[in-house]
Amino acid sequence: MDTDLPESAILPLIEEHTGPVTGIRRTERGFSSDLTAVVDCAKGPFFVKAMRNRPGGRRKSLIRERRINAYLGHISPPLLWDVEAEDWLVLGFEVLDGRSADFAPESPDLSLVVDAIGEIGRLPLPHIAQDWTETRWDRFTSDSSEAVLFRGDSLLYTDINPSNLLVVKRRVFAVDWAWPTRGAGFIDPALLVLQLIAAEHTPAGAEKWADRLPAWRTAAPRAVDAFAAANLRMYRAAVGRKPDADWLKAMVDACQAWTEHRGVPAE
């Protein structure tokens, strides 16, 4: 095995937890880590996320994922072990034998996805998350009064997309808790709405699914409007940085459809 690859670098670090390793199979997901893979081994298998132990946001996100896991109940696979060495940070999770959720209209997965987001919405905010204030959309609001609408005391997942919601039999699990935050409870349902529109739902149809969630039903319309507009501005800015990224252009289109449906200007 190439000694420059993460697989070779982490093997000596994880053998205490894995026993002899017979194979490492990289996964398609996990772009924010240096390695995401299923490790076949004597004590496993395990799903492993590994990152070089360097200062910065990516390291912080993996540490946050390590810290939040114990508070997620049965909505996410448990963290079984972790290793932090001078050069590497490695998390070892239970492996899920599942598939990405299908967000398309008429998909039988949709009710399971909504149930999973509802389960996340019922999780209590743990003490470790008290200072994880959600601020990512603040700079895309029209003024500071809108940013206040995104504050709250709910534990937010914030990374809703088909790849992160895995269907296992008749249950959906939320994986890749790279950046949980504390904020307004309507945000996760609103992110679901945006993803459903991107999956070719009408805005009205997408919001109908979100209406099954208490945090959406009780949200102030002004807060949802501000959030929809902030997302449009955010994705427009992202396309400006990466004009060849088709998925970002698709998200701009979804945001545009949503703000037009709600009658919200977002210049």
Side-chain angles (χ1 to χ4, degrees):
M1 188 178 290
D2 190 333
T3 56
D4 291 331
L5 293 176
E7 291 91 330
S8 295
I10 69 168
L11 274 178
L13 306 177
I14 67 175
E15 284 180 337
E16 175 185 352
H17 302 285
T18 63
V21 173
T22 57
I24 299 180
R25 296 174 282 135
R26 291 199 180 207
T27 65
E28 294 180 0
R29 297 185 300 274
F31 301 109
S32 62
S33 299
D34 292 306
L35 175 69
T36 58
V38 174
V39 175
D40 297 310
C41 54
K43 299 180 182 180
F46 300 104
F47 175 72
V48 166
K49 297 181 73 172
M51 189 174 297
R52 289 173 176 82
N53 201 355
R54 299 169 180 167
R58 295 175 67 204
R59 178 184 181 276
K60 288 180 180 178
S61 73
L62 204 62
I63 289 175
R64 190 171 288 200
E65 184 169 5
R66 179 178 66 183
R67 295 184 68 194
I68 198 62
N69 185 264
Y71 300 93
L72 299 180
H74 299 292
I75 193 62
S76 186
L79 177 65
L80 301 176
W81 49 264
D82 67 275
V83 176
E84 185 166 2
E86 181 178 358
D87 295 325
W88 286 92
L89 177 62
V90 189
L91 307 184
F93 296 89
E94 180 180 298
V95 173
L96 292 180
D97 183 13
R99 59 172 174 81
S100 297
D102 181 359
F103 277 23
E106 310 303 327
S107 166
D109 294 348
L110 293 174
S111 60
L112 303 178
V113 168
V114 171
D115 288 346
I117 294 172
E119 186 174 347
I120 293 171
R122 291 189 294 273
L123 292 172
L125 182 74
H127 64 91
I128 62 166
Q130 290 292 328
D131 296 331
W132 296 354
T133 303
E134 180 54 74
T135 60
R136 277 170 289 186
W137 288 274
D138 287 12
R139 66 192 179 98
F140 299 106
T141 58
S142 61
D143 57 57
S144 59
S145 67
E146 288 189 346
V148 173
L149 301 173
F150 306 158
R151 304 291 184 265
D153 291 320
S154 294
L155 176 65
L156 302 177
Y157 175 36
T158 73
D159 203 5
I160 294 170
N161 64 72
S163 294
N164 281 348
L165 293 166
L166 299 187
V167 180
V168 181
K169 296 180 180 179
R170 292 296 297 166
R171 181 176 173 80
V172 167
F173 292 82
V175 302
D176 196 11
W177 284 73
W179 209 254
T181 55
R182 172 191 180 188
F186 78 86
I187 288 178
D188 276 344
L191 291 172
L192 173 64
V193 168
L194 186 53
Q195 287 290 326
L196 292 180
I197 296 171
E200 300 188 353
H201 292 248
T202 66
E207 289 188 347
K208 188 174 181 180
W209 281 106
D211 201 49
R212 299 187 181 197
L213 299 165
W216 173 268
R217 293 196 301 270
T218 59
R222 176 173 175 250
V224 178
D225 290 347
F227 189 72
N231 272 278
L232 178 55
R233 298 185 190 104
M234 180 183 74
Y235 280 111
R236 282 175 173 168
V239 168
R241 296 190 300 272
K242 298 180 179 180
D244 296 328
D246 289 339
W247 76 272
L248 288 174
K249 296 175 184 177
M251 293 308 296
V252 169
D253 291 342
C255 291
Q256 186 74 53
W258 193 22
T259 53
E260 289 177 357
H261 167 72
R262 297 189 66 87
V264 180
E267 299 305 323

